[in-house]
Amino acid sequence: KKRRRSPSNPSLKPSLTSDLKMRPVNTKVKALQFASGAALGPILDNFHSTYHVLAYDTFAVKGLIETSVWTPPLFGVAALLIGALGNMGPKQPQQNPAPAIMVFGMLYWLSGILGNVVSPLEESLILWPLAVASTVYFDKSTIPTAVATAIAGPSLEIALTTLDLYHYTRADVLGVSSWIPAVYFAGAAPVALLERYYSSSFSSSSSS
């Protein structure tokens, strides 16, 4: 005789697939995330322009900051993608993103200064431990996103430099500086935390 299986209780099963799904899209959150990236991006980019780590060949903007007209939308889209990717897994506790953003800004600033002081390889050896340490400290759940960002970001830059939009003054690998992946890696955690903060803020206001 075949044993009759007792019906399983679906509520007792871990919903792994639901955890891996993206949260419902909140247009206000996405708009704020894009705007934040578009606003902060040129400020960070100015560190590299000011210290002559890179120079724009077309569509350059020179004033209080030195950047390009396409830099704000590019950073805005990057903030959307990194923020979404960094929050696809199981829900993480919300925290203030300001310290992570400030540390990332300092690392970005440091990368500009070091670009004129040490070789690209030496700069990589300095930036990578700082990038990994900051990511682990602020949100180690974003490490996979950080790895993906460290690969995708420089790959895009390689393509952009071939279009003669800008150039690195001390490029040593395929038209870019070999330390730039560390900067991308360090940016994943603060960007993901920022979107998480926006999402939590809107969910709290709607529930109250």
Side-chain angles (χ1 to χ4, degrees):
K1 295 182 179 179
K2 293 183 179 180
R3 288 185 176 181
R4 184 177 296 177
R5 294 182 179 180
S6 58
S8 58
N9 188 345
S11 63
L12 298 179
K13 293 183 178 180
S15 55
L16 179 60
T17 54
S18 61
D19 283 341
L20 293 178
K21 290 181 181 178
M22 293 179 62
R23 312 293 189 271
V25 175
N26 186 316
T27 54
K28 292 182 179 179
V29 169
K30 297 303 179 182
L32 276 173
Q33 186 75 358
F34 178 87
S36 298
L40 292 174
I43 298 174
L44 298 173
D45 185 54
N46 182 61
F47 292 141
H48 287 173
S49 301
T50 299
Y51 293 109
H52 306 292
V53 169
L54 57 78
Y56 287 98
D57 301 313
T58 56
F59 306 109
V61 175
K62 295 183 179 181
L64 293 176
I65 61 175
E66 185 174 344
T67 185
S68 175
V69 295
W70 48 264
T71 300
L74 188 65
F75 271 86
V77 171
L80 285 175
L81 295 176
I82 298 171
L85 186 61
N87 289 288
M88 284 182 66
K91 191 174 183 179
Q92 301 295 321
Q94 183 269 326
Q95 58 178 291
N96 185 357
I101 293 173
M102 287 189 291
V103 169
F104 176 56
M106 292 174 63
L107 188 142
Y108 217 109
W109 168 75
L110 180 63
S111 69
I113 292 179
L114 292 176
N116 296 300
V117 178
V118 298
S119 69
L121 177 59
E122 290 170 330
E123 184 166 357
S124 295
L125 296 177
I126 296 172
L127 294 181
W128 267 113
L130 297 175
V132 173
S134 64
T135 302
V136 171
Y137 178 80
F138 287 112
D139 189 354
K140 61 184 178 180
S141 73
T142 61
I143 289 178
T145 302
V147 172
T149 306
I151 296 172
S155 299
L156 176 61
E157 289 210 37
I158 291 171
L160 292 175
T161 55
T162 60
L163 298 176
D164 295 327
L165 295 177
Y166 66 100
H167 66 275
Y168 279 83
T169 56
R170 299 179 68 187
D172 59 330
V173 177
L174 299 176
V176 300
S177 294
S178 54
W179 48 261
I180 196 63
V183 177
Y184 278 98
F185 187 98
V191 172
L193 288 175
L194 182 62
E195 173 152 325
R196 198 177 304 158
Y197 174 78
Y198 286 146
S199 299
S200 176
S201 298
F202 275 100
S203 63
S204 298
S205 61
S206 61
S207 60
S208 59

